[in-house]
Every structure is written in C-alpha cells, then in structure tokens.
Short mmCIF file of all heavy atoms in Angstrom, two decimals:
data_model
loop_
_atom_site.label_atom_id
_atom_site.label_comp_id
_atom_site.label_asym_id
_atom_site.label_seq_id
_atom_site.Cartn_x
_atom_site.Cartn_y
_atom_site.Cartn_z
N GLU A 853 11.44 52.23 34.76
CA GLU A 853 11.32 51.07 35.64
C GLU A 853 9.99 50.36 35.42
O GLU A 853 8.98 50.99 35.16
CB GLU A 853 11.39 51.48 37.11
CG GLU A 853 12.70 52.12 37.49
CD GLU A 853 12.74 52.62 38.93
OE1 GLU A 853 11.69 52.58 39.62
OE2 GLU A 853 13.82 53.04 39.35
N LEU A 854 10.02 49.05 35.57
CA LEU A 854 8.82 48.24 35.55
C LEU A 854 8.62 47.69 36.96
O LEU A 854 9.49 46.98 37.47
CB LEU A 854 8.99 47.10 34.55
CG LEU A 854 7.74 46.42 34.05
CD1 LEU A 854 8.02 45.69 32.76
CD2 LEU A 854 7.10 45.54 35.05
N TRP A 855 7.52 48.05 37.58
CA TRP A 855 7.21 47.61 38.94
C TRP A 855 6.18 46.50 38.87
O TRP A 855 5.14 46.65 38.23
CB TRP A 855 6.66 48.76 39.77
CG TRP A 855 7.68 49.78 40.20
CD1 TRP A 855 8.74 50.26 39.49
CD2 TRP A 855 7.70 50.48 41.44
NE1 TRP A 855 9.42 51.20 40.21
CE2 TRP A 855 8.80 51.35 41.41
CE3 TRP A 855 6.88 50.46 42.57
CZ2 TRP A 855 9.12 52.18 42.47
CZ3 TRP A 855 7.19 51.28 43.63
CH2 TRP A 855 8.31 52.13 43.58
N TRP A 856 6.46 45.39 39.56
CA TRP A 856 5.55 44.26 39.64
C TRP A 856 5.09 44.15 41.10
O TRP A 856 5.92 44.15 42.01
CB TRP A 856 6.26 42.96 39.28
CG TRP A 856 6.99 42.94 37.97
CD1 TRP A 856 8.31 43.22 37.75
CD2 TRP A 856 6.45 42.58 36.70
NE1 TRP A 856 8.61 43.06 36.42
CE2 TRP A 856 7.49 42.66 35.76
CE3 TRP A 856 5.18 42.19 36.27
CZ2 TRP A 856 7.31 42.37 34.42
CZ3 TRP A 856 5.01 41.90 34.93
CH2 TRP A 856 6.06 41.99 34.02
N VAL A 857 3.80 43.99 41.32
CA VAL A 857 3.24 43.83 42.67
C VAL A 857 2.31 42.61 42.64
O VAL A 857 1.40 42.56 41.80
CB VAL A 857 2.44 45.08 43.10
CG1 VAL A 857 1.85 44.90 44.49
CG2 VAL A 857 3.33 46.33 43.05
N TRP A 858 2.55 41.64 43.55
CA TRP A 858 1.70 40.45 43.52
C TRP A 858 1.79 39.62 44.80
O TRP A 858 2.71 39.73 45.57
CB TRP A 858 2.02 39.59 42.31
CG TRP A 858 3.23 38.70 42.39
CD1 TRP A 858 3.24 37.36 42.63
CD2 TRP A 858 4.61 39.06 42.19
NE1 TRP A 858 4.53 36.86 42.60
CE2 TRP A 858 5.37 37.90 42.32
CE3 TRP A 858 5.26 40.26 41.90
CZ2 TRP A 858 6.77 37.90 42.19
CZ3 TRP A 858 6.64 40.26 41.77
CH2 TRP A 858 7.38 39.09 41.91
N ASN A 859 0.76 38.79 44.96
CA ASN A 859 0.71 37.76 46.00
C ASN A 859 0.87 36.43 45.28
O ASN A 859 -0.02 36.02 44.53
CB ASN A 859 -0.64 37.78 46.73
CG ASN A 859 -0.91 39.08 47.45
OD1 ASN A 859 0.01 39.78 47.85
ND2 ASN A 859 -2.17 39.43 47.58
N PRO A 860 2.00 35.74 45.47
CA PRO A 860 2.24 34.49 44.74
C PRO A 860 1.20 33.42 45.09
O PRO A 860 0.71 33.38 46.21
CB PRO A 860 3.62 34.04 45.21
CG PRO A 860 4.21 35.19 45.92
CD PRO A 860 3.10 36.08 46.36
N GLU A 861 0.91 32.60 44.10
CA GLU A 861 -0.02 31.49 44.31
C GLU A 861 0.66 30.14 44.12
O GLU A 861 0.26 29.16 44.72
CB GLU A 861 -1.22 31.61 43.36
CG GLU A 861 -2.09 32.80 43.68
CD GLU A 861 -3.24 32.97 42.69
OE1 GLU A 861 -3.33 32.21 41.70
OE2 GLU A 861 -4.07 33.86 42.94
N SER A 862 1.69 30.09 43.26
CA SER A 862 2.32 28.82 42.94
C SER A 862 3.76 29.05 42.50
O SER A 862 4.06 30.05 41.86
CB SER A 862 1.54 28.15 41.79
OG SER A 862 2.27 27.08 41.24
N VAL A 863 4.62 28.11 42.80
CA VAL A 863 6.01 28.21 42.35
C VAL A 863 6.13 27.99 40.85
O VAL A 863 7.17 28.27 40.27
CB VAL A 863 6.94 27.22 43.10
CG1 VAL A 863 7.03 27.56 44.57
CG2 VAL A 863 6.50 25.79 42.89
N SER A 864 5.06 27.50 40.24
CA SER A 864 5.11 27.24 38.80
C SER A 864 4.58 28.39 37.95
O SER A 864 4.64 28.32 36.73
CB SER A 864 4.34 25.96 38.47
OG SER A 864 2.99 26.09 38.82
N ASP A 865 4.05 29.48 38.58
CA ASP A 865 3.57 30.59 37.76
C ASP A 865 4.76 31.38 37.20
O ASP A 865 5.85 31.36 37.77
CB ASP A 865 2.59 31.49 38.52
CG ASP A 865 3.22 32.23 39.69
OD1 ASP A 865 4.17 33.01 39.46
OD2 ASP A 865 2.75 32.06 40.82
N PRO A 866 4.58 32.07 36.08
CA PRO A 866 5.69 32.78 35.43
C PRO A 866 6.39 33.80 36.34
O PRO A 866 7.61 33.94 36.28
CB PRO A 866 5.04 33.46 34.24
CG PRO A 866 3.87 32.60 33.90
CD PRO A 866 3.37 32.10 35.24
N MET A 867 5.64 34.50 37.18
CA MET A 867 6.27 35.50 38.06
C MET A 867 7.20 34.84 39.07
O MET A 867 8.29 35.34 39.33
CB MET A 867 5.20 36.33 38.78
CG MET A 867 4.43 37.26 37.86
SD MET A 867 5.47 38.49 37.04
CE MET A 867 5.98 39.48 38.43
N SER A 868 6.77 33.73 39.64
CA SER A 868 7.63 33.01 40.59
C SER A 868 8.87 32.47 39.89
O SER A 868 9.98 32.56 40.42
CB SER A 868 6.86 31.86 41.25
OG SER A 868 5.84 32.37 42.08
N LYS A 869 8.68 31.89 38.71
CA LYS A 869 9.82 31.35 37.96
C LYS A 869 10.82 32.43 37.57
O LYS A 869 12.03 32.21 37.58
CB LYS A 869 9.33 30.64 36.69
CG LYS A 869 8.66 29.32 36.96
CD LYS A 869 8.21 28.71 35.64
CE LYS A 869 7.57 27.37 35.83
NZ LYS A 869 7.10 26.81 34.55
N GLU A 870 10.32 33.62 37.23
CA GLU A 870 11.17 34.70 36.75
C GLU A 870 11.83 35.49 37.89
O GLU A 870 12.99 35.88 37.79
CB GLU A 870 10.34 35.65 35.88
CG GLU A 870 11.13 36.73 35.19
CD GLU A 870 11.79 36.25 33.91
OE1 GLU A 870 11.37 35.24 33.33
OE2 GLU A 870 12.76 36.92 33.50
N PHE A 871 11.08 35.74 38.98
CA PHE A 871 11.55 36.71 39.98
C PHE A 871 11.69 36.18 41.40
O PHE A 871 12.18 36.90 42.26
CB PHE A 871 10.61 37.93 40.00
CG PHE A 871 10.61 38.69 38.71
CD1 PHE A 871 9.50 38.69 37.89
CD2 PHE A 871 11.73 39.39 38.30
CE1 PHE A 871 9.49 39.40 36.70
CE2 PHE A 871 11.74 40.09 37.11
CZ PHE A 871 10.62 40.09 36.31
N ILE A 872 11.27 34.95 41.68
CA ILE A 872 11.45 34.41 43.03
C ILE A 872 12.41 33.24 43.03
O ILE A 872 13.44 33.28 43.73
CB ILE A 872 10.09 34.00 43.66
CG1 ILE A 872 9.18 35.21 43.81
CG2 ILE A 872 10.32 33.34 45.03
CD1 ILE A 872 7.77 34.89 44.31
N ILE A 873 12.13 32.21 42.25
CA ILE A 873 12.94 30.98 42.26
C ILE A 873 14.43 31.26 42.01
O ILE A 873 15.27 30.74 42.76
CB ILE A 873 12.39 29.95 41.23
CG1 ILE A 873 10.92 29.62 41.49
CG2 ILE A 873 13.26 28.70 41.19
CD1 ILE A 873 10.61 29.06 42.86
N PRO A 874 14.82 32.08 41.03
CA PRO A 874 16.25 32.30 40.80
C PRO A 874 16.97 32.97 41.98
O PRO A 874 18.18 32.85 42.10
CB PRO A 874 16.30 33.21 39.57
CG PRO A 874 14.96 33.09 38.93
CD PRO A 874 14.00 32.77 40.02
N TYR A 875 16.23 33.65 42.82
CA TYR A 875 16.83 34.41 43.92
C TYR A 875 16.40 33.88 45.29
O TYR A 875 16.54 34.57 46.30
CB TYR A 875 16.43 35.90 43.80
CG TYR A 875 16.57 36.43 42.40
CD1 TYR A 875 15.46 36.85 41.67
CD2 TYR A 875 17.82 36.49 41.78
CE1 TYR A 875 15.59 37.33 40.37
CE2 TYR A 875 17.96 36.96 40.49
CZ TYR A 875 16.83 37.38 39.78
OH TYR A 875 16.97 37.84 38.51
N GLN A 876 15.85 32.68 45.32
CA GLN A 876 15.23 32.13 46.52
C GLN A 876 16.15 32.13 47.74
O GLN A 876 15.73 32.50 48.83
CB GLN A 876 14.72 30.70 46.26
CG GLN A 876 13.82 30.17 47.36
CD GLN A 876 12.50 30.89 47.39
OE1 GLN A 876 11.73 30.82 46.44
NE2 GLN A 876 12.23 31.59 48.47
N SER A 877 17.41 31.76 47.57
CA SER A 877 18.30 31.69 48.74
C SER A 877 18.51 33.07 49.36
O SER A 877 18.48 33.22 50.58
CB SER A 877 19.64 31.03 48.40
OG SER A 877 20.32 31.77 47.42
N GLU A 878 18.71 34.10 48.54
CA GLU A 878 18.88 35.46 49.06
C GLU A 878 17.58 35.98 49.67
O GLU A 878 17.58 36.64 50.71
CB GLU A 878 19.34 36.43 47.97
CG GLU A 878 20.78 36.24 47.53
CD GLU A 878 20.90 35.21 46.40
OE1 GLU A 878 19.90 34.53 46.06
OE2 GLU A 878 22.01 35.06 45.87
N LEU A 879 16.44 35.67 49.04
CA LEU A 879 15.15 36.10 49.57
C LEU A 879 14.86 35.45 50.91
O LEU A 879 14.37 36.12 51.84
CB LEU A 879 14.03 35.79 48.56
CG LEU A 879 14.07 36.61 47.28
CD1 LEU A 879 13.16 36.00 46.23
CD2 LEU A 879 13.69 38.05 47.56
N ASP A 880 15.18 34.17 51.05
CA ASP A 880 14.97 33.47 52.32
C ASP A 880 15.90 34.02 53.41
O ASP A 880 15.49 34.16 54.56
CB ASP A 880 15.22 31.97 52.16
CG ASP A 880 14.15 31.27 51.36
OD1 ASP A 880 13.05 31.85 51.18
OD2 ASP A 880 14.41 30.13 50.91
N ARG A 881 17.10 34.34 53.01
CA ARG A 881 18.09 34.80 54.00
C ARG A 881 17.89 36.27 54.40
O ARG A 881 17.95 36.61 55.57
CB ARG A 881 19.49 34.61 53.43
CG ARG A 881 20.58 34.92 54.41
CD ARG A 881 21.90 34.44 53.93
NE ARG A 881 22.92 34.79 54.90
CZ ARG A 881 24.19 34.87 54.63
NH1 ARG A 881 24.63 34.59 53.43
NH2 ARG A 881 25.06 35.20 55.56
N PHE A 882 17.65 37.15 53.42
CA PHE A 882 17.62 38.59 53.68
C PHE A 882 16.24 39.24 53.50
O PHE A 882 16.04 40.38 53.91
CB PHE A 882 18.61 39.32 52.77
CG PHE A 882 20.02 38.81 52.87
CD1 PHE A 882 20.59 38.14 51.81
CD2 PHE A 882 20.77 39.00 54.02
CE1 PHE A 882 21.89 37.66 51.89
CE2 PHE A 882 22.07 38.53 54.11
CZ PHE A 882 22.63 37.85 53.04
#
C-alpha cells in the first residue's frame, strides 16, 4: 500500500487533481 497524508493547499496541486477532484461528490457527501 501507498499511504498519502496531507493538508491540501490548492485544487490545482497534483494531489488534489489525482485524489480529491475525481471523487469530490462522494467526499462532500460521505
């Protein structure tokens, strides 16, 4: 497993683009 731990700073950073934006609706809901 690869574990990522972070405090986001911008929706344009690679971590947000890869792991938050694609799943935003589920993350907001659940």
Side-chain angles (χ1 to χ4, degrees):
E853 298 176 353
L854 199 160
W855 286 38
W856 307 93
V857 179
W858 79 101
N859 298 332
E861 293 177 355
S862 166
V863 295
S864 62
D865 66 59
M867 291 299 293
S868 293
K869 287 180 178 178
E870 187 82 20
F871 296 111
I872 298 175
I873 303 302
Y875 314 116
Q876 192 69 64
S877 62
E878 288 88 352
L879 292 166
D880 289 344
R881 186 168 179 200
F882 304 111

